[in-house]
Amino acid sequence: MALADMTGLQSGTLTVGGLTLGSTGGDLSTLNLRPFASPAINVTGTDTLISNGGTASSTINILGAAPSVGTYTLIDYAGSPLSAGAYGAFTLGTLPNRVTAGLVNNSGNTSVDLNVTLVDTARWSGALSSEWSTAVLGGSKNWVLNSDGTTPTDYLAGDTVSFTDSATTTTVDVSVANVSPSGVTFNNSSKNYTLQGTAAVTGTTGITKTGTGKLTITNTN
């Protein structure tokens, strides 16, 4: 039972007079949240954040682009702080790609928070070929983790990606399939990039271009 699905909400707070998760033990509920606003859900009624399903019965999924490192208020409620048993109903489900985070029972603020401790992204290396690859077999790949610039990785759907002067190959070919990153940045000065191919970069994100190098786009996006 999905009690609050905010997958289409890009910003803003959902304010409710009370939020009851499950009617009896064993009931399961899911909250799909985008933590662009703080809080994502504001429960105004005193002592009206109630979880009846039991331990780990209410899953909170974090959707959308990866948030920055920091603490985000997911559910702000009024009244008494949640007991350990009541808070134990909440469990963290899916996270954006390459995000490490955990839930926090913030009794001082009477809120359920998301504490993001690590956010990584994918940086283009072009070490293997010009293909915007999603899964390349073997040791060589066309992407590295941005945090260290050396660890090979695959592009994951929804990744935030960047293209810099550190790449070996600066022709990027999107032909195997459409790709839908959550963010695209070209930050190049000493090298020029060409984005080409028979497939497209799709989705709602845009392209951020910085640096003095050129970016030529020849495919349909």
Side-chain angles (χ1 to χ4, degrees), residues 71-153:
T71 301
Y72 300 82
T73 301
L74 298 179
I75 306 173
D76 191 12
Y77 59 92
S80 304
L82 293 176
S83 66
Y87 170 72
F90 295 100
T91 183
L92 187 60
T94 59
L95 288 165
N97 293 341
R98 310 182 199 279
V99 170
T100 302
L103 295 179
V104 176
N105 183 13
N106 190 336
S107 57
N109 191 53
T110 59
S111 62
V112 177
D113 297 345
L114 177 73
N115 182 32
V116 179
T117 56
L118 177 66
V119 178
D120 214 337
T121 58
R123 186 199 306 173
W124 172 260
S125 68
L128 179 66
S129 68
S130 62
E131 178 193 335
W132 184 316
S133 56
T134 57
V136 178
L137 298 178
S140 298
K141 298 176 184 292
N142 280 330
W143 301 87
V144 293
L145 294 180
N146 193 53
S147 57
D148 59 22
T150 59
T151 302
T153 187

